[in-house]
Amino acid sequence: MAAALVGAVAGWAAVALASHARAYCDAGWEAGGRFEMAFLLVLMVPGCAVLALLIAFLSRPLPLWSRPVPVLLVLAVVVLVFFASKGTLDGYPGNLERCGPDNVPPWWPGWLPA
């Protein structure tokens, strides 16, 4: 049950992070972009919850102390991939004073993929 809650929070966080990046860079944040992110929120929250439950079920043979590790790693990858694909719209005409042409906000750590 805790895995589903963590998955739902990860799904919400992925959409919130991508939405914040779009709004900051003013890239894809018109009415259609906001609708897209609202639609994706409806898909990501239960989708990540189910994914977390599946990974938790598959990691049952592991020792008790290490069971959360695969769940957290998979959810972290999902959040990063979602941010890179939906939060940073490469080449979209955004606010070039705030973000570059790749629409990666300056607050995003450079060592993380975007």
Side-chain angles (χ1 to χ4, degrees):
M1 186 59 109
L5 181 61
V6 170
V9 168
W12 173 83
V15 174
L17 183 63
S19 296
H20 183 64
R22 282 186 176 195
Y24 184 85
C25 294
D26 195 24
W29 198 239
E30 67 282 344
R34 287 193 297 272
F35 176 77
E36 176 191 9
M37 296 312 271
F39 179 73
L40 288 172
L41 180 67
V42 173
L43 297 176
M44 285 293 288
V45 169
C48 285
V50 169
L51 177 65
L53 282 174
L54 179 65
I55 299 300
F57 176 75
L58 292 174
S59 65
R60 283 186 6 203
L62 295 175
L64 185 62
W65 64 269
S66 66
R67 288 182 191 170
V69 173
V71 175
L72 295 175
L73 286 176
V74 167
L75 290 175
V77 168
V78 167
V79 170
L80 286 175
V81 168
F82 187 83
F83 176 78
S85 63
K86 295 295 180 184
T88 60
L89 303 175
D90 192 18
Y92 194 93
N95 186 345
L96 293 178
E97 293 177 6
R98 297 184 113 189
C99 305
D102 57 356
N103 289 317
V104 177
W107 46 261
W108 186 251
W111 55 273
L112 285 173

